[in-house]
Amino acid sequence: MSGLHGLATRALRALDPEDAHGLAIAGLRLGLGPAGGPDDPILASSLASLALPNVVGLAPGFDKDAKVFAPMLRAGFGFVECGTVTPLPQAGNPRPRLFRLSEDRAVINRMGFNNRGLEAFAGRLARRGPGMVGANIGANKDSEDRIGDYVTGLKRLWGLASYFTINVSSPNTPGLRALQTRAALDELLGRLAEARDALPPAGCAPMFLKVAPDLEAGEVEAIVGTCLAHGLAGIMVSNTTVSRPALASRFAREAGGLSGAPLMALSTRVLGEFAQASAGRLALVGVGGIASGEDAYAKIRAGAGAVQLYSALVFEGPGLVGRVKRELAARLRADGFASVSEAVGAN
């Protein structure tokens, strides 16, 4: 981390985490973000029907309201996922709700799907230029028909987003993770598939399911089977964890989802379980704990066709994406791979 952007990152770390994030978004909207260079061809890949210029994506949560996807694409991300967006605006949980665990290179959040709502989100996506921009959709906390909220999001954003992620795995909306159970997930994905099949092709944006890393025995196989039954393209593995490994920070006992370095081992293990269960029938995206090219490579070797990061940006700043891509390209070549797809799940 060096130069102006490194200095800005260090200054932001001295502020309240949520205030710092707001200032970062404001700076990006003013054009103060970095510009990434050309992508190494070895990092280009196809994920489901998406032609990615590189396989390093920005995870949702950073750009909740689709305000800065263009600057983040310019910074070097191969794809940017915005959201989580809900049909109606909602304030989320009371502050403080975002905690920086510097000693652990981790973050705990209990944001609660705070966002400006579907209409504002759709208006910004409608004006987007080139590049892969996904929409992560969710349900309002007080909704009487949570599944209906997902259908509403899919219909409103159809033709505007490159792909959709169905977020049923946030720990910060009470009862949401219950949608991962077999019967509830079957109903949710069934209704979404019915809505999708009635919409015009509009590029046939693929749908992904975002899952928690905190799954019980047998749930991985059940989730894979349900996704396949309803024609989903893939699975994002994983969201934040409610588990608490040994942590040094004074914020270690805060409620919410834990992300960052302590999530790397757990999420990668669960990713491997999904890779084994899906046996190449679903595209997998590795998320959780990535802070280096070596981390990204570990996800790819575990079965991910692409990766996403977010929490490490809190500590490393926007220059992180360029370093991750350089390190990943070097590691692929060092191990004799000519492409990312050759390395996926390789032993």
Side-chain angles (χ1 to χ4, degrees):
M1 181 167 57
S2 61
L4 179 60
H5 293 113
L7 180 63
T9 299
R10 288 190 289 272
L12 289 172
R13 284 209 306 267
L15 302 176
D16 168 84
E18 190 165 349
D19 291 340
H21 183 262
L23 285 174
I25 295 294
L28 288 165
R29 297 187 78 184
L30 290 172
L32 301 180
D39 283 315
D40 190 319
I42 199 172
L43 298 180
S45 191
S46 177
L47 181 78
S49 60
L50 306 173
L52 303 177
N54 74 74
V55 297
V56 182
L58 177 63
F62 182 87
D63 189 10
K64 287 178 174 289
D65 292 306
K67 292 180 176 179
V68 293
F69 52 82
M72 297 311 281
L73 288 169
R74 285 195 297 271
F77 285 100
F79 59 109
V80 171
E81 187 170 318
C82 302
T84 299
V85 62
T86 56
L88 299 177
Q90 61 182 26
N93 294 321
R95 294 180 66 167
R97 54 191 181 180
L98 184 63
F99 305 89
R100 189 190 297 120
L101 285 67
S102 298
E103 301 92 333
D104 304 294
R105 311 294 281 182
V107 172
I108 290 175
N109 93 83
R110 50 173 181 264
M111 303 299 287
F113 285 176
N114 58 305
N115 73 103
R116 299 297 180 90
L118 194 56
E119 287 307 312
F121 190 98
R124 295 189 183 98
L125 279 192
R127 299 189 296 271
R128 75 179 180 91
M132 290 292 172
V133 181
N136 184 298
I137 57 177
N140 281 111
K141 179 180 179 179
D142 297 326
S143 175
E144 295 182 1
D145 179 9
R146 286 185 171 176
I147 292 178
D149 280 9
Y150 289 94
V151 173
T152 296
L154 181 72
K155 288 181 174 180
R156 180 65 182 90
L157 299 176
W158 192 256
L160 301 179
S162 304
Y163 68 91
F164 292 88
T165 297
I166 315 305
N167 187 355
V168 296
S169 50
S170 169
N172 301 316
T173 297
L176 189 75
R177 285 190 171 192
L179 289 174
Q180 293 178 124
T181 60
R182 185 190 294 266
L185 189 61
D186 186 61
E187 182 183 358
L188 169 65
L189 298 187
R191 285 178 61 180
L192 283 167
E194 183 180 14
R196 174 199 61 200
D197 294 345
L199 292 165
C204 298
M207 291 197 304
F208 296 80
L209 181 72
K210 183 149 189 171
V211 298
D214 313 304
L215 297 172
E216 302 294 333
E219 288 186 312
V220 169
E221 291 78 7
I223 290 170
V224 166
T226 307
C227 288
L228 289 169
H230 295 294
L232 265 68
I235 301 176
M236 305 283 187
V237 188
S238 68
N239 212 318
T240 58
T241 180
V242 295
S243 67
R244 291 293 184 269
L247 298 170
S249 171
R250 63 190 177 95
F251 299 118
R253 295 185 180 276
E254 291 289 345
L258 174 71
S259 59
L263 182 57
M264 177 67 190
L266 172 61
S267 60
T268 306
R269 176 179 61 78
V270 176
L271 170 65
E273 294 174 3
F274 273 99
Q276 183 175 8
S278 61
R281 295 171 293 172
L282 292 167
L284 301 177
V285 177
V287 196
I290 295 173
S292 67
E294 189 69 25
D295 293 337
Y297 187 66
K299 300 284 190 187
I300 290 166
R301 293 297 292 267
V307 300
Q308 290 179 329
L309 59 86
Y310 170 15
S311 293
L313 291 174
V314 172
F315 304 101
E316 301 292 338
L320 173 66
V321 62
R323 177 168 65 81
V324 169
K325 291 192 297 182
R326 290 190 299 272
E327 293 172 354
L328 176 58
R331 186 58 194 270
L332 287 165
R333 289 193 171 94
D335 282 359
F337 296 112
S339 67
V340 171
S341 60
E342 286 185 9
V344 174
N347 295 316

